[in-house]
């Protein structure tokens, strides 16, 4: 009989433990004098850009060797483009990180026509900076002043493209709650949607992250330049509830519709996910995950986040990895109905 020290299971466990132990000096030797590309899968000036660049200003201090973090925008295909780049082209040595939209992660699950630019279950998640609530908003001079109005009044709501929450959620509320607005897509991002609202081109928009909305347009809320007509989340948001904004669950009447909405909005658990390529060495993953977690509790980072009015409610990378795997294990019939619900 082999000794305990040499059993295959014990050796395997020891190997995994060893892989997770990272010597700060070894990490510093690798990262000293290097730079890390932080690739933001969204257009400049939007919520994902604000979050990504803020993270980039602080993350390097928590990585041994203090590498320079270089933020770059790589929008396209609802951030699936940067997902493809990080999976197939970016170096797999811990010097490339991608900031993805959650729609890019669930896009291939919910959109059968989506080009498989990357496998969301194979990229390695460092964590998410935010998990939260999305909202629908409308112009004060629109006929749609409440979500109940959206159930009867004709209007135009703006969206970006497939895999982007502004488009997907707009259709979701049409199919599961009966909203009557038309969805106008093709905007580059929420910054463009905001301009379209100001110009009167559209009546409103859905799928806007509440934390991003507050960061991008704080004056709209302060000066009542917009109606916040619906909150969308697994649980009610206390701030929005105090404002009298109704929950999406008020308008979802059937058990099947609840399952569909639950699947689609499951992505809100990881609203600001950051990933590294499949095949990145375990010791580099451990270093970057530890640095991400440390940044999320860094007083300097949190002070900047408060000034930017962005909400920081993080989840660690391992938890995000589990949530993504669970979403991709959803029964096929619910997935198929959810696909139809968010499609034009």
């Amino acid at each position: 009989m082999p000794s305990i020290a040499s059993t295959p299971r014990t050796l395997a466990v020891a190997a995994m433990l060893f892989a997770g132990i990272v010597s700060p000096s070894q990490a510093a030797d690798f990262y000293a004098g290097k730079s890390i590309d932080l690739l933001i899968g969204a257009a400049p000036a939007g919520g994902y850009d604000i979050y990504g660049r803020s993270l980039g200003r602080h993350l390097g201090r928590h990585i041994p060797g203090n590498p320079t973090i270089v933020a770059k925008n790589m929008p396209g295909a609802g951030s699936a483009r940067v997902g493809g780049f990080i999976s197939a082209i970016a170096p797999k040595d811990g010097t490339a990180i991608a900031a993805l939209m959650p729609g890019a992660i669930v896009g291939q699950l919910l959109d059968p026509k989506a080009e498989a630019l990357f496998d969301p279950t194979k990229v390695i998640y460092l964590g998410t900076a935010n998990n939260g609530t999305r909202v629908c908003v409308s112009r004060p001079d629109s006929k749609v002043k409440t979500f109940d109005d959206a159930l009867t009044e004709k209007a135009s709501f703006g969206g970006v493209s497939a895999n982007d929450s502004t488009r997907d959620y707009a259709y979701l509320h049409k199919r599961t709650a009966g909203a009557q607005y038309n969805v106008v897509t093709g905007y580059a991002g929420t910054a463009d949607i905001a301009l379209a609202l100001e110009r009167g081109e559209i009546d409103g928009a859905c799928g806007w992250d509440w934390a991003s909305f507050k960061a991008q347009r704080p004056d709209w809320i302060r000066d009542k330049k917009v109606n916040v007509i619906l909150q969308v989340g697994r649980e009610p948001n206390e701030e929005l509830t105090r404002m009298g904004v109704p929950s999406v669950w008020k308008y979802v009447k059937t058990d099947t519709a609840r399952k569909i909405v639950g699947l689609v909005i499951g992505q809100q658990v990881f609203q600001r996910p950051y990933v590294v390529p499949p095949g990145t060495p375990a010791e580099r993953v451990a270093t970057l995950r530890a640095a991400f977690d440390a940044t999320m509790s860094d007083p300097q980072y949190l002070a900047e986040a408060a000034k930017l009015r962005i909400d920081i409610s993080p989840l660690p990378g391992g938890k995000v990895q589990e949530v993504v795997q669970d979403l991709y294990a959803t029964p096929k019939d619910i997935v198929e109905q959810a696909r139809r619900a968010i499609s034009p």
Side-chain angles (χ1 to χ4, degrees):
M1 177 180 291
S3 68
I4 292 177
S6 62
T7 61
R9 180 177 179 179
T10 303
L11 291 173
V13 171
M16 286 189 291
L17 289 173
F18 180 77
I21 297 172
V22 183
S23 164
S25 61
Q26 289 177 325
D29 287 344
F30 175 76
Y31 280 112
K34 285 188 170 64
S35 63
I36 296 176
D37 284 339
L38 176 55
L39 307 169
I40 302 168
Y48 286 88
D49 187 56
I50 293 170
Y51 268 87
R53 290 180 182 277
S54 179
L55 174 70
R57 286 189 285 270
H58 298 272
L59 181 64
R61 288 188 286 104
H62 298 283
I63 301 173
N66 304 126
T68 301
I69 309 297
V70 182
K72 303 176 181 179
N73 294 90
M74 188 180 287
S79 87
R81 177 189 172 205
V82 78
F85 183 88
I86 202 74
S87 295
I89 300 173
K92 303 179 187 299
D93 61 356
T95 60
I97 300 171
L100 300 178
M101 294 182 180
I105 296 170
V106 299
Q108 293 172 50
L109 179 66
L110 295 175
D111 183 0
K113 296 181 180 179
E115 187 178 359
L117 298 178
F118 76 110
D119 186 340
T121 67
K122 297 291 177 61
V123 293
I124 301 170
Y125 296 84
L126 301 183
T128 179
N130 173 243
N131 68 94
T133 304
R134 296 187 182 278
V135 294
C136 292
V137 302
S138 68
R139 293 197 334 265
D141 59 341
S142 168
K143 292 181 180 179
V144 177
K145 291 179 170 55
T146 68
F147 194 76
D148 287 289
D149 293 336
L151 303 182
T152 58
E153 298 287 348
K154 294 295 184 180
S156 296
F157 273 48
V160 179
S161 61
N163 298 336
D164 188 277
S165 61
T166 54
R167 194 208 77 158
D168 292 354
Y169 280 47
Y171 281 114
L172 177 71
H173 303 320
K174 282 177 66 70
R175 305 284 162 60
T176 61
Q180 296 300 302
Y181 51 67
N182 294 318
V183 183
V184 180
T185 60
Y187 293 99
T190 52
D192 277 5
I193 290 175
L195 290 174
L197 279 166
E198 289 181 320
R199 291 192 294 256
E201 294 176 8
I202 53 177
D203 293 278
C206 284
W208 210 322
D209 174 62
W210 176 234
S212 291
F213 188 85
K214 291 189 292 183
Q216 291 175 267
R217 293 292 187 273
D219 58 309
W220 284 13
I221 302 166
R222 183 192 65 229
D223 300 335
K224 302 186 184 305
K225 294 180 178 179
V226 72
N227 304 310
V228 184
I229 62 175
L230 189 71
Q231 58 168 301
V232 185
R234 290 190 170 189
E235 301 293 335
N237 178 283
E238 291 183 6
E239 180 182 21
L240 289 166
T241 300
R242 287 195 302 269
M243 292 168 58
V245 181
S247 167
V248 65
W249 301 114
K250 174 184 176 181
Y251 301 96
V252 181
K253 304 300 185 182
T254 69
D255 183 59
T256 297
R258 293 183 71 86
K259 289 178 180 178
I260 291 169
V261 172
L263 173 58
V264 175
I265 73 174
Q267 62 190 272
Q268 292 174 204
V269 174
F270 45 87
Q271 296 232 113
R272 312 287 172 182
Y274 296 86
V275 305
V276 294
T280 300
E283 66 272 14
R284 305 271 165 74
V285 172
T287 294
L288 294 174
R289 280 182 168 178
F292 182 87
D293 292 344
T295 304
M296 293 299 103
S297 60
D298 179 346
Q300 293 182 49
Y301 173 65
L302 294 175
E304 179 177 311
K307 289 180 181 179
L308 293 172
R309 297 183 178 88
I310 59 175
D311 177 56
I312 305 301
S313 49
L315 286 177
K319 178 61 177 177
V320 177
Q321 205 94 38
E322 290 176 9
V323 172
V324 174
Q325 297 291 344
D326 288 345
L327 285 174
Y328 271 81
T330 300
K332 291 182 178 180
D333 62 322
I334 297 299
V335 171
E336 181 56 36
Q337 291 182 73
R339 285 175 173 175
R340 291 197 294 268
I342 65 172
S343 299

